[in-house]
Amino acid sequence: MVTRGWVLAIVNQKGGVGKTTTAVNLAAQLAVQGDEVLLIDADPQANATSGLGIAPHEPEHNLFEVLQEECLFEDAIISSGRPRLHLVPASIDLAGIDLLFATRIARETVLRSLLMPLRERYNWLIIDTPPSLGLLTINALVAADGLIVPLQCEYYALEGLSRLMQTVELVRQHLNPSLEIWKVVLTMHDPRTKLSEQVEAEVRKFFGAKVARTVIPRNVRIGEAPSFGQPVVEYDPRSRGAIAYKAFAQEVKEYGTSRSR
């Protein structure tokens, strides 16, 4: 029996930081550990959908149709082909949501309302968001209990982060008082470079205990896995990248267990 599930949004308006990779591998690993997981692909690029080996044009329904009230949320949920892991696929049409929702009442809370009944069915509802702070991301922030923020270990890692923090604070003040950052996870870490060490030190100084103990390494297997339509934890379970994502999923699960509902 599933108790009330957690909704997690994977967010960072900067592209190329490992956001979708983190969403897919976190979802896949939580399912492997025995939890019921729903991955919601809210990015018009549909990389989380293809990352599970599903072509975006294949599913009969998708998140765009749900948001447009053209189908029920239940109708858009499909099997990922893996036990306990389900998916709501994305569509390129999501790119037009900001315009289509321009006059819609309570447009920031649409996703939260849709996900509410599903929290009784899934232990985890994980939302992969677009690399922007548009309406799709705002909907994810309003719907979420917690945020996972992937940060690339590169020079511009903290650039734009203040804007994300401001947006999170505004959402907390006006729309979702319980919203909090669960974990900041460092990605593409290369211990051979001084830059990675400096970025890690700066991020840990800024976020403190919110930074995950696990650091995701720069690993070729992580880059290869999506082209085979697989999470790296499935593609090469013994790779450094897979081992890191398994450890990170355990951290997230432990944090969820420690939280009062």
Side-chain angles (χ1 to χ4, degrees), residues 15-187:
V17 299
K19 183 172 52 58
T20 296
T21 300
T22 298
V24 169
N25 282 283
L26 176 60
Q29 188 56 33
L30 288 169
V32 166
Q33 292 180 7
D35 288 343
E36 295 292 332
V37 183
L38 179 63
L39 178 59
I40 299 134
D41 191 351
D43 187 345
Q45 297 174 90
N47 289 335
T49 300
S50 59
L52 289 177
I54 299 162
H57 63 272
E58 284 180 359
E60 185 178 354
H61 301 293
N62 54 57
L63 183 61
F64 176 77
E65 294 178 11
V66 174
L67 295 176
Q68 283 292 89
E69 300 179 342
E70 294 172 8
C71 76
L72 298 174
F73 212 119
E74 293 277 351
D75 296 333
I77 297 173
I78 61 173
S79 170
S80 70
R82 299 156 180 87
R84 296 175 297 280
L85 177 57
H86 290 84
L87 170 74
V88 175
S91 157
I92 188 62
D93 295 323
L94 285 169
I97 281 293
D98 282 45
L99 184 61
L100 291 168
F101 272 27
T103 58
R104 187 158 172 175
I105 296 172
R107 56 183 182 164
E108 298 91 353
T109 63
V110 173
L111 189 57
R112 178 171 66 185
S113 300
L114 291 167
L115 291 182
M116 199 70 70
L118 297 172
R119 292 165 74 109
E120 308 304 322
R121 277 180 46 190
Y122 295 95
N123 300 102
W124 303 95
L125 299 96
I126 297 173
I127 310 168
D128 185 33
T129 63
S132 72
L133 291 176
L135 194 54
L136 285 168
T137 300
I138 298 298
N139 262 265
L141 295 179
V142 174
D145 300 301
L147 306 179
I148 305 292
V149 183
L151 275 184
Q152 186 179 3
C153 290
E154 302 243 333
Y155 181 72
Y156 294 113
L158 296 173
E159 188 179 84
L161 204 55
S162 60
R163 188 177 168 214
L164 174 61
M165 295 300 101
Q166 288 168 4
T167 303
V168 169
E169 189 54 38
L170 283 171
V171 169
R172 190 185 287 125
Q173 287 177 16
H174 300 288
L175 295 163
N176 184 3
S178 62
L179 180 66
E180 65 166 318
I181 293 174
W182 274 29
K183 292 292 175 185
V184 175
V185 57
L186 293 159
T187 63

Side-chain angles (χ1 to χ4, degrees), residues 183-184 200-213:
K183 292 292 175 185
V184 175
E200 180 175 359
E202 192 68 26
V203 172
R204 290 192 185 279
K205 180 181 175 183
F206 188 81
F207 284 104
K210 291 290 186 185
V211 184
R213 299 185 302 273

